[in-house]
Amino acid sequence: MTKFLPLIAVLALSGCATSQTTYLNNGEQGLAIDCSGEANSWATCYEKADASCAGTGYRIVGTDGTPATKESDKTLGVDVGNYKNRSVVVVCK
């Protein structure tokens, strides 16, 4: 069992973006992508959007996320213990 603990820890910390189909107020079909967590970044969201739109490109409709932490609120220059929320809604071209 102790051999699997590091593997479980890595899998728990590794992130992956998830996406689901959504519909905008104007009836247009979009894609809601969630790439929250410490292991992800905004780049993860955009990579998932590009992959989900099969290379045809996409238009960003909206974004939502946790604001960046001020330097004075960090511990030794590192943002410790704050969960990062990131999501983007795109429409494939």
Side-chain angles (χ1 to χ4, degrees):
M1 182 65 178
T2 57
K3 294 179 183 178
F4 294 109
L5 288 178
L7 177 62
I8 292 170
V10 168
L11 291 175
L13 291 175
S14 66
C16 60
T18 60
S19 63
Q20 66 182 44
T21 302
T22 188
Y23 291 92
L24 307 178
N25 289 338
N26 64 1
E28 196 173 19
Q29 183 176 338
L31 190 62
I33 301 171
D34 179 35
C35 49
S36 299
E38 196 63 39
N40 288 322
S41 66
W42 284 107
T44 307
C45 283
Y46 304 133
E47 289 168 4
K48 180 69 173 183
D50 193 43
S52 297
C53 291
T56 61
Y58 57 90
R59 176 175 46 97
I60 297 173
V61 178
T63 60
D64 187 32
T66 306
T69 306
K70 295 184 278 185
E71 285 298 319
S72 61
D73 293 337
K74 294 181 179 180
T75 304
L76 299 174
V78 179
D79 186 15
V80 178
N82 293 321
Y83 186 77
K84 305 283 191 277
N85 290 310
R86 291 178 208 89
S87 61
V88 64
V89 177
V90 300
V91 173
C92 295
K93 294 182 179 179

